[in-house]
Each structure stands twice: as structure tokens, then as C-alpha cells.
């Protein structure tokens, strides 16, 4: 009995090909890695070998259409990419490296096979960039929005875990990359005409839009911060810098002072906010689409070469008090 | 800075208390186990110790309102219970024992705090019954249906894995418990008046309704089948017996013959189907709400005491050919 029929027409509605063909499509896209995956996609569950001598990081995060994305501003491929990226960011924030993903795809009947293929392409792109193996998942139809829900495991050394709670009074706060970039990208998309949305003319604005659609989780930096034990506490900026600073500080039992003049807000983002009558600092710290890492560093290490070095990914903010 | 305010009014809309209060509620409900959980609910991700010497089972399954449940027929507590149960069933079908769950709750704004508490009560009840620890999760609002998406890890011995592919021609097929029970329960609920739905008068029908609302995953039997290596192949019946037999047989490269007279369909379920003009055998094998296990057993073991023993949970069906 053949379990699937080949899917050739990307414009075919998913309801016409059935669940089994879609599973075959997913299985073909994610062949797994025999070294790590004893049983892959297609059985009741996946079976994997744990990472030797490591603890396991476990996280889940969902992107919901109408809440976290709009298919007017992001392609199905962007949505797939971002859905895995936001989970990779959470694992990085614990000092872990990501390993195995489970995809829970909740698909509206209006979707085409080609949309699902694009979604899988985006997931595969992020999986390749971050070294993630898709181990399994679940498909179900949605009577409402498209939802891409990902569960991700990772590995972290027993004494290399970065929590939110390890900060101490006097620590310096750093953030990777820039803030407000994703929020500016979304602002721009919301006010751009339909025909412009693909390609903003100003390069800096184009960067904001790309960052909004496809955030780059700080996987390597999180892993290095954990291994080097340079950071006392760490978390990612999924809900914006303002929220993250409050959460990191209160988890650590401290307060924090932020010097607004030292916030790494890109010029293009400032321009987008000003053009729309928004205060750039407020918009940037409230913006929730930066998947950067916020971390605290003990005073004596804050001036070290590693942190102020050539990467340019870290910027001192202010000290916790 | 207090991260949460105590939630006292179960009738309060969830939008009025905010995400952080709901997370505090979940954290209080699932304190975790310090032995297994190094970092629990409330950080970017959970961190756990793997099970020593074991492989890891990974699965995810979602219950979507309007697709898998209707709040007219199931309470929020039932939905929570079942959402974890269907995942426990998948781990059992691999010969594993369940360990750690991640909850992804996608909540419509109309929900009340009390509904969320009831959902958590149901999850907690199943977690207690199956020895599962809730390690973390994610909350998001839903512009459409209520969705309870669970990812579950489990542990299985390296040579104790039950796949769908191990069956051989000549093996006998067994199924645990009864079939058609859940489907009959749902049929009954669909045709019962609103006032009757709580308590069917006929005890056998009440059992069907309870089984539909709160399936009992065969966690211990799956684990024993794996450990004893009694079964050559195994899967759960999430999509009904007919579908499971086809999938197990084709994964194993065999066919299968089912003797309809030996199907374990409860009398009350047969009655419900007949009353509604349905063929009981067709309805029972197509019914998708039995979270029983289908497994194949090599001929020489099929008559063993263990399988025909006092549990009464296993019934021979027919041999694969």
C-alpha cells in the first residue's frame, strides 16, 4: 500500500492532497541525521540519543497569524524561518546550543501545497544555519489562523547555564547587535504601499525589514557566553529591551539604570520612527522583534577584550544597582 | 519589582490579568521536580537532566477547538487532560515512559482565568497519573480557536524501542482495551440534549463519554511491551483502528486480515451506533478517539500467558499475512 502520492502542483489546495502526502513532503525535506536520530519523522514519536555529558534545554514558542505575523508583510518562508529562529534564540539565551526541533503546523484549509513547501524551506534554512535537526512534529488543520508552533531541545554544559537570576549589583548590562531594528521594519511595512513592500529603497531600512522578517538568533554568542562564564545572567529580547531589563533585574534581585544615549539604535530605525511621529528611544526599547541577547557582566570582566573586541556585537548599557 | 499580582477572581477575563499573572499561575501549579529539572518555568527555557543510559522519545500533538474538541462536549479540564494524554499515548506507543512536557497554550481573549485554571487542573491530573513533569511552555493569545499544543519527551531503553516497522508476516495483531468507545461517546454527545450531556443514564454509555473526554493512554502497557520485547511493532490508535492497521502493516511491509467478530467493541458503543443508524463495526474501526495500542506479536509468543493473562487488556485480532 503506497502511503503517499507525489505532490507536483504547488498551487493545489492542501485539502486535496491529504495529511499523508504532506507528511511525506516533510519527511523528504527533513531526512534527519542517523547519528543523532534513531527514529525520525513518520512514527508515533521520534527517538534520539541525548548529548553526552550535557544537560538538556527545552523550549517552545509559537507564531500565530494575526498576532505575531501578517502574510501581507512576511512570506510563508519568512514565517517558517522566524518560527524556528525565535526558539533558537531562547536556547541561546540559556547558554545552550540547539539540537532537535518538533514542528507543530496548524494549517488553514485555504493554504496551498506551495505555501507549505515555502514554510518548510524557511524552517530548513534556519535549521541549516543553526545546526538544528527536525526530528518530528504534528499536522492539523486550523479553523482560523496559520500557526507554526515549534518545540526545540538543546544541550548545555552542567555548569554553563545562563539564567536570568545570576546578575549582581554593579554588573554592567550588554546587548548584542542593535535594538529597535525589527520594530522599525514592522513600522515601515505597516505604512508602505503594497507594491513597495518587497524592497525598501534606503539600505538601512531594508536591513530593518529583513531583520523583522528573519531575525538572526545569537546562537554562537549565547553558547560562548555560557562556556566562557563571562555573563552572570542572560535572556533574549523577545518582548523588547525595556521588558527584558525589568525581568533580568527583578529575577536577579537588583535594579538597573539605562543610559538612553548608549542604546544601539540604528540610524535607519531612528529615521523610520521619527517619520511616523514616534519617539525613537521609546519605540526601540518597547519594540518586541529584536531577538538579541541581554546579559550582565561582573564589573571586573566588563572591560575585557572579548566583550569590547572586534565583533562589535556587544554594547555596554549601564550598571545594575 | 513584583512580577505578578495574585489572581483571585476566576471569572476575570484573562486579558485583564495579563500574561505575567498567568505565567505565575502556571508556575505555581507546576513546581517541577528539582531532581530532574535544573531550571523550571519562568526563564527563557527549561533545563533538565537526561535519563541515564536511555534514549529520548520526542513527540508533539495539539488539540484545536473546532477540530478536535468542542467546549459544548468537553470542559476545559477535559481538554487539558486529553491534550497531555494523547502525547503520553504516543510515547507509550514507542515503548517509552513519559518524562517532561512543554505546554503551548494559545488562548482566545474571551477565556476567563477560571477556564485557564481548569485547563491546568486537567493537565495536572494527567501529569500526576502518568508521572510527567511540566517543564515549561509558552502562552500566546489566539484570534481564533483555543489550542492546547503539547510537546512531550520520554525515555526508552536503547534496545526497547517499538516502531511501526518491526512486524513480520504471520504475526498476530493485538489491541489494548476496547475500540469505538471514544467515537460512541462523541456520537452520543452530538445527539444528546444540552441538559443530558453531563450524565448519560446507561452506565456503558457514560463510560464511552468519559473515555471520549478523558482517554487513558496505555502508558504502562507500552513500557512493558518495549521492555519485555513481546511486541514486534506497535503504534497508537489516534486515527482509528482501520488507519492504524494499514499503517502498521505497510510500515512492516506486510498485509493484514482483521476478523470483525473478534473486534473488542463494547456493547454500549454498538448500541449507540445502531441507535443512530450506523454500522457498529465500520463506526468503531473508523473512530479516531481510542488512544489504545495496536501491536503485533510473533506467532510463537502470541499464546503466552502474559498476553492472554489477567489484565484483559489485549485481544487477538488476526494475523498479518
Amino acid at each position: 500500500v503506497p502511503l503517499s502520492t507525489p505532490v507536483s502542483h504547488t498551487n493545489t489546495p492542501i485539502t486535496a492532497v491529504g495529511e499523508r502526502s504532506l507528511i511525506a513532503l516533510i519527511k523528504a525535506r527533513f531526512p534527519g541525521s542517523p547519528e543523532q536520530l534513531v527514529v525520525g519523522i513518520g512514527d508515533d514519536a521520534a527517538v534520539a540519543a541525548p548529548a553526552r555529558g550535557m544537560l538538556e534545554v527545552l523550549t517552545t514558542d509559537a507564531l500565530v497569524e494575526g498576532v505575531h505575523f501578517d502574510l501581507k508583510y512576511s512570506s510563508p518562508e519568512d514565517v517558517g524561518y522566524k518560527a524556528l529562529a525565535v526558539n533558537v534564540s531562547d536556547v541561546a539565551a540559556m547558554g545552550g546550543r540547539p539540537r532537535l526541533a518538533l514542528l507543530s503546523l496548524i494549517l488553514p484549509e485555504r493554504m496551498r501545497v506551495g505555501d507549505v513547501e515555502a514554510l518548510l524551506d524557511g524552517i530548513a534554512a534556519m535549521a541549516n544555519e543553526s545546526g538544528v535537526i527536525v526530528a518530528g512534529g504534528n499536522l492539523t488543520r486550523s479553523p482560523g489562523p496559520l500557526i507554526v508552533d515549534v518545540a526545540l531541545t538543546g544541550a548545555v554544559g552542567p555548569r554553563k547555564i545562563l539564567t536570568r537570576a545570576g546578575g549582581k549589583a554593579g554588573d554592567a548590562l550588554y546587548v548584542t547587535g542593535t535594538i529597535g531594528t525589527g520594530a522599525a521594519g514592522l513600522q515601515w511595512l505597516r505604512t508602505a504601499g503594497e507594491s513597495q513592500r518587497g524592497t525598501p529603497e534606503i539600505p538601512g531600512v531594508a536591513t530593518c525589514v529583513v531583520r523583522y522578517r528573519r531575525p538572526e538568533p545569537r546562537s554562537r554568542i549565547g553558547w560562548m557566553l555560557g562556556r566562557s562564564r563571562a555573563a552572570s545572567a542572560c535572556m533574549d529580547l523577545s518582548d523588547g529591551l525595556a521588558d527584558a531589563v525589568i525581568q533580568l533585574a527583578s529575577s536577579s534581585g537588583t535594579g538597573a539604570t539605562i543610559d538612553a544615549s548608549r542604546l544601539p539604535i540604528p540610524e535607519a530605525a531612528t529615521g523610520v520612527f521619527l517619520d511616523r511621529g514616534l519617539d525613537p528611544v521609546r519605540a526601540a526599547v518597547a519594540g518586541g522583534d529584536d531577538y538579541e541577547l541581554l546579559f550582565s557582566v561582573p564589573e571586573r570582566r566588563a572591560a575585557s577584550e572579548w566583550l569590547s573586541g572586534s565583533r562589535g556585537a556587544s554594547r555596554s548599557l549601564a550598571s545594575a544597582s
Side-chain angles (χ1 to χ4, degrees), chain A:
Chain A
V1 181
L3 279 178
S4 63
T5 47
V7 175
S8 54
H9 299 292
T10 58
N11 207 30
T12 309
I14 55 171
T15 46
V17 301
E19 188 185 355
R20 213 143 301 164
S21 293
L22 292 177
I23 292 173
L25 204 72
I26 297 171
K27 195 173 173 172
R29 187 67 51 110
F30 301 108
S33 147
E35 276 166 49
Q36 289 187 75
L37 217 52
V38 182
V39 178
I41 294 167
D43 216 301
D44 291 79
V47 180
R52 226 175 245 264
M54 304 292 268
L55 295 177
E56 184 174 47
V57 185
L58 294 155
T59 192
T60 183
D61 210 349
L63 296 189
V64 179
E65 185 180 4
V67 178
H68 304 102
F69 67 89
D70 187 321
L71 289 171
K72 287 205 301 283
Y73 308 147
S74 299
S75 69
E77 202 172 331
D78 294 332
V79 173
Y81 186 95
K82 190 167 181 171
L84 183 53
V86 300
N87 280 280
V88 170
S89 180
D90 279 327
V91 170
M94 302 303 292
R97 64 177 164 76
R99 294 186 74 223
L100 303 166
L102 296 173
L103 312 178
S104 182
L105 306 181
I106 301 173
L107 308 174
E109 291 181 356
R110 62 176 154 77
M111 279 187 87
R112 307 278 156 173
V113 172
D115 298 330
V116 177
E117 289 180 308
L119 195 69
L120 299 176
D121 284 343
I123 294 169
M126 182 74 255
N128 287 340
E129 283 178 34
S130 56
V132 165
I133 292 163
V134 173
N138 185 56
L139 280 182
T140 180
R141 70 184 171 85
S142 169
L146 166 62
I147 298 172
V148 185
D149 200 353
V150 175
L152 183 66
T153 73
V156 66
R159 277 167 299 275
K160 314 293 186 191
I161 305 166
L162 297 172
T163 69
R164 298 178 178 181
K168 296 266 182 297
D171 287 3
L173 286 177
Y174 287 75
V175 69
T176 59
T178 60
I179 64 163
T181 320
L186 177 59
Q187 279 294 339
W188 187 88
L189 286 166
R190 280 189 176 145
T191 46
E194 204 178 323
S195 59
Q196 299 172 281
R197 275 183 211 134
T199 47
E201 275 177 22
I202 305 164
V205 175
T207 302
C208 293
V209 169
V210 169
R211 195 59 56 87
Y212 167 73
R213 288 176 175 149
R214 301 200 176 201
E216 291 295 336
R218 299 296 181 176
S219 204
R220 233 166 278 171
I221 295 178
W223 175 248
M224 285 171 68
L225 283 174
R227 281 184 69 89
S228 66
R229 307 184 68 175
S232 50
C234 184
M235 67 178 289
D236 84 341
L237 295 196
S238 38
D239 294 321
L241 181 74
D243 175 80
V245 168
I246 291 170
Q247 293 210 43
L248 191 140
S250 33
S251 296
S252 296
T254 68
T257 317
I258 303 296
D259 178 352
S261 70
R262 301 185 72 183
L263 291 170
I265 307 170
E267 226 173 288
T270 300
V272 168
F273 294 134
L274 286 174
D275 283 353
R276 282 149 190 83
L278 296 168
D279 179 288
V281 171
R282 279 174 191 275
V285 301
D289 278 295
D290 297 312
Y291 291 86
E292 300 292 350
L293 298 178
L294 172 73
F295 57 97
S296 56
V297 176
E299 258 177 313
R300 62 186 164 76
R301 304 194 73 153
S304 80
E305 208 173 297
W306 191 84
L307 287 166
S308 56
S310 58
R311 303 185 173 272
S314 303
R315 289 278 294 270
S316 167
L317 287 178
S319 24
S321 60

